[in-house]
Amino acid sequence: MTTSVERRRFLKSIAAAGLILPGMSIYQHALADVPGLDLGTAQKFDFNDLINRAKAMAQVAYEPPVAPNPEIVGKIDYDTHGKLHYKRDHSPFSDGSGTYPATFFHLGMYFAKPVHMYLLENDTAREVIYKPDYFDMPKDSIARQLPANSGFAGFRLHENQARDDWKTQDWAAFLGASYFRAIGDEGQYGLSARGIAVNTATSIPEEFPDFRQFFIKPAKNPEDPVTVYALLDGPSITGAYKFLLYRGKGVTMDVEKHLFVRKDIERLGIAPLTSMFWYSEQNKSFRFDWRPEVHDSDGLELWTGGGERIWRQLNNPETIRASAFGDRTPRGFGLMQRDRDVKNYLDGVRYHRRPSLWVEPQGDWENGAVQLIEIPTDDEIHDNIAAFWVPDGPAKAGNSYQFKYRLYWQAHNPFPVKELATATATRMGRGGEPGTNRPQDEIKFSVEFEGDVLGTLAYGEFPEIVVSTSRGEITRTKIEPIMDTRIWRAAFDLKVTGDDPVDLRMYLKRNDAPLSETWMFQHLPALSNQQQV
């Protein structure tokens, strides 16, 4: 067997730079052959060596990956790519060597950069050499013209092979740049995570570093994790990653990353989440679509280092907006899909089953901010929401970072607080009172809260609303239970002029104790004024 073209090129460039590292020599013994797969020569693998490789790469010029035959790959369009199906008979670990078989994605127009896949066993790695024979493809498919070992676009993990449907059901996928996804406990894909975010919504173009190599170690038992190591490379940053993927209630991932900055970065996003929000109940009147709501996530949830729980309703703004929530040692944050009522979507793509994604930091993340990026969209096909942690201080060339965190892909927050009510809907309308002359410069906000703690209120007892605004005036505050439901409605009017954004903040309390999480919202008068014209 031969080593990959990419590996030979990498070793040659590292040697030329005088950066040969220990443990990079070819290992003599081989893994057991996988039926139907062409595997490269076995080589020693160690995560520390991968970290050292990433560090060495950051000290030399970036060489972007290129398609093995750009003219051919560029013609594998959406329809052509959809006809390329990896044969399950060639699935690594389907022979009983692991619980969760893996399959690979083919290169194509939208996933043109080759990624090289290695199988791990007993601290040795062997590359899976690409062959067209691994895929069911039409006899006249242009993909058959690609050369040997062109690489793959990504991989996915299938359900326990003890299940009759494992060949058609998968639960995690890594595909495109540093993107990856997993299903939640309701069996549906939705939002994505990324290995890193570089210069998202800044004065310079955003970068999308690539996972260049994956090393996959199978789970021996259903409760064991699938271990995945990854090498990241981009114009401004390199990195070595370790993922432990657990298939339990939804999917849980432990992530360890070692990052090395090659060039100065304006905004470095750690544990980035990417989602879609087109409209929900609060801005539906401004949109034109037959469905009540369309979104993969409807809010950003925060659990601060000081213990405050915050819900920030998402927006579809008129221009790119960046919001920062400064913190120290955050306990968690996530893009959540709270609305689980199918009647609020009425769509066959199962938005009501899309997972939420919660980030639980491990260790001391020190000072920084959770930053939320909201980008305008007029359709559901665009991911327009991003959230990530940005550490304090500039990300300068030569800097290195190490972070550990856990990702929870499931329907709800893994750390609920029963003592606090949660905001479940945000609605907007005309200010003033029904039957009166409505003021033209006031907007009414109605926020619905639910939770068992509200059921502990005595008959005739009402929570107190605590609401504030960054500008303008708050009037007509009111709170009341909605008859025949367990919902309490907290409403207020905002009187404001001008087009600048308004940051609103509200929570419920009983005596001196919070009764709810903190609801936050950024009102955009410019967007409202445009839609009312």
Side-chain angles (χ1 to χ4, degrees):
M1 301 296 180
T2 59
T3 55
S4 71
V5 173
E6 184 184 62
R7 190 190 313 120
R8 294 198 302 269
R9 186 178 298 149
F10 173 78
L11 291 172
K12 183 178 179 180
S13 65
I14 292 297
L19 297 172
I20 286 293
L21 302 172
M24 291 179 62
S25 61
I26 298 299
Y27 211 61
Q28 295 305 311
H29 71 274
L31 294 167
D33 287 335
V34 177
L37 290 185
D38 187 7
L39 299 181
T41 304
Q43 56 181 306
K44 181 178 181 295
F45 177 84
D46 182 82
F47 186 40
N48 288 327
D49 291 344
L50 192 68
I51 295 170
N52 288 333
R53 287 178 59 191
K55 183 177 181 180
M57 289 166 58
Q59 299 171 13
V60 298
Y62 172 67
E63 294 186 11
V66 295
N69 190 323
E71 293 78 14
I72 299 300
V73 173
K75 294 178 181 179
I76 304 176
D77 57 16
Y78 180 84
D79 290 335
T80 303
H81 193 269
K83 298 175 183 178
L84 306 177
H85 305 288
Y86 191 87
K87 296 176 181 177
R88 303 304 189 253
D89 292 341
H90 297 313
S91 302
F93 321 129
S94 62
D95 59 352
S97 58
T99 302
Y100 305 105
T103 59
F104 304 119
F105 292 103
H106 201 282
L107 294 173
M109 176 188 297
Y110 300 107
F111 307 103
K113 299 176 183 178
V115 184
H116 292 268
M117 305 292 173
Y118 297 78
L119 307 183
L120 282 178
E121 183 181 73
N122 299 328
D123 299 323
T124 62
R126 294 182 68 183
E127 184 179 2
V128 180
I129 307 300
Y130 166 84
K131 293 194 303 184
D133 294 345
Y134 299 156
F135 293 85
D136 283 322
M137 60 176 69
K139 291 183 178 181
D140 60 349
S141 175
I142 194 170
R144 293 185 178 275
Q145 300 179 31
L146 287 177
N149 201 22
S150 295
F152 302 93
F155 75 95
R156 56 186 169 185
L157 297 174
H158 287 252
E159 295 287 12
N160 189 331
Q161 61 182 300
R163 289 176 43 164
D164 293 337
D165 63 350
W166 76 263
K167 292 184 178 181
T168 60
Q169 302 298 317
D170 55 293
W171 56 273
F174 288 71
L175 178 63
S178 69
Y179 284 86
F180 57 98
R181 300 196 300 168
I183 64 174
D185 44 357
E186 298 196 17
Q188 180 70 38
Y189 282 110
L191 78 170
S192 300
R194 285 191 275 170
I196 198 68
V198 177
N199 294 328
T200 306
T202 63
S203 60
I204 57 180
E206 183 171 8
E207 291 181 14
F208 295 91
D210 299 290
F211 284 136
R212 300 284 294 273
Q213 297 178 345
F214 286 110
F215 302 81
I216 308 170
K217 182 179 180 180
K220 296 298 184 182
N221 302 293
E223 65 274 11
D224 295 334
V226 177
T227 304
V228 176
Y229 301 92
L231 180 68
L232 179 112
D233 193 19
S236 299
I237 198 166
T238 66
Y241 289 69
K242 179 181 180 180
F243 297 88
L244 300 179
L245 286 71
Y246 296 87
R247 179 69 173 108
K249 179 183 179 181
V251 175
T252 303
M253 300 179 180
D254 287 334
V255 184
E256 177 182 346
K257 63 176 65 173
H258 299 257
L259 303 170
F260 304 94
V261 181
R262 180 183 262 140
K263 293 170 52 179
D264 291 356
I265 295 174
E266 188 171 331
R267 175 177 281 145
L268 177 64
I270 305 300
L273 316 178
T274 301
S275 192
M276 180 274 294
F277 177 85
W278 186 11
Y279 62 86
S280 68
E281 74 279 347
Q282 116 269 356
N283 65 336
K284 173 62 171 69
S285 60
F286 302 151
R287 298 294 183 259
F288 301 94
D289 192 85
W290 58 270
R291 293 160 293 184
E293 302 184 32
V294 177
H295 50 76
D296 283 333
S297 307
D298 51 6
L300 170 67
E301 190 170 348
L302 305 166
W303 187 9
T304 70
E308 184 180 16
R309 298 292 191 126
I310 295 173
W311 174 255
R312 165 57 156 81
Q313 170 70 43
L314 294 179
N315 253 325
N316 182 1
E318 83 289 358
T319 187
I320 297 176
R321 298 284 180 184
S323 302
F325 305 85
D327 202 359
R328 177 177 174 80
T329 60
R331 302 187 189 186
F333 67 92
L335 290 175
M336 316 300 283
Q337 182 77 316
R338 279 193 176 174
D339 193 333
R340 296 284 162 186
D341 190 340
V342 65
K343 295 191 298 296
N344 290 337
Y345 301 99
L346 300 177
D347 198 327
V349 297
R350 297 179 174 176
Y351 284 118
H352 65 292
R353 293 189 179 181
R354 302 292 172 104
S356 298
L357 181 50
W358 182 259
V359 180
E360 180 190 12
Q362 307 287 320
D364 187 358
W365 280 24
E366 300 182 343
N367 292 321
V370 175
Q371 296 197 10
L372 172 66
I373 309 298
E374 297 166 302
I375 301 171
T377 187
D378 61 358
D379 206 338
E380 63 201 279
I381 63 173
H382 306 295
D383 281 345
N384 64 317
I385 302 295
F388 39 70
W389 173 257
V390 179
D392 272 359
K396 295 291 187 181
N399 284 9
S400 62
Y401 302 87
Q402 180 178 346
F403 286 91
K404 294 182 179 181
Y405 52 93
R406 175 168 287 183
L407 298 175
Y408 296 86
W409 305 78
Q410 55 192 57
H412 304 289
N413 190 315
F415 304 102
V417 180
K418 294 183 179 180
E419 295 78 17
L420 295 177
T422 57
T424 55
T426 299
R427 307 182 191 277
M428 298 168 58
R430 291 186 300 168
E433 298 292 343
T436 67
N437 291 327
R438 302 293 187 97
Q440 296 300 309
D441 58 353
E442 294 188 23
I443 294 179
K444 186 177 297 293
F445 290 84
S446 174
V447 182
E448 296 168 11
F449 288 92
E450 297 185 51
D452 292 342
V453 67
L454 296 175
T456 66
L457 294 168
Y459 180 78
E461 182 183 8
F462 287 79
E464 179 183 350
I465 301 178
V466 181
V467 58
S468 61
T469 179
S470 61
R471 68 185 192 89
E473 179 184 359
I474 300 294
T475 63
R476 299 185 182 88
T477 60
K478 181 179 182 180
I479 185 165
E480 60 184 355
I482 301 178
M483 299 302 295
D484 299 324
T485 75
R486 302 177 71 241
I487 301 171
W488 283 72
R489 177 192 296 121
F492 63 89
D493 284 5
L494 171 68
K495 182 176 182 179
V496 67
T497 59
D499 288 344
D500 292 339
V502 182
D503 290 310
L504 299 167
R505 183 183 181 96
M506 178 177 65
Y507 69 94
L508 308 181
K509 74 174 185 176
R510 179 183 357 185
N511 299 323
D512 293 327
L515 199 62
S516 75
E517 64 185 1
T518 301
W519 168 88
M520 298 182 70
F521 184 70
Q522 187 174 76
H523 172 52
L524 304 173
L527 181 60
S528 298
N529 293 337
Q530 291 172 11
Q531 299 296 339
Q532 291 174 2
V533 172

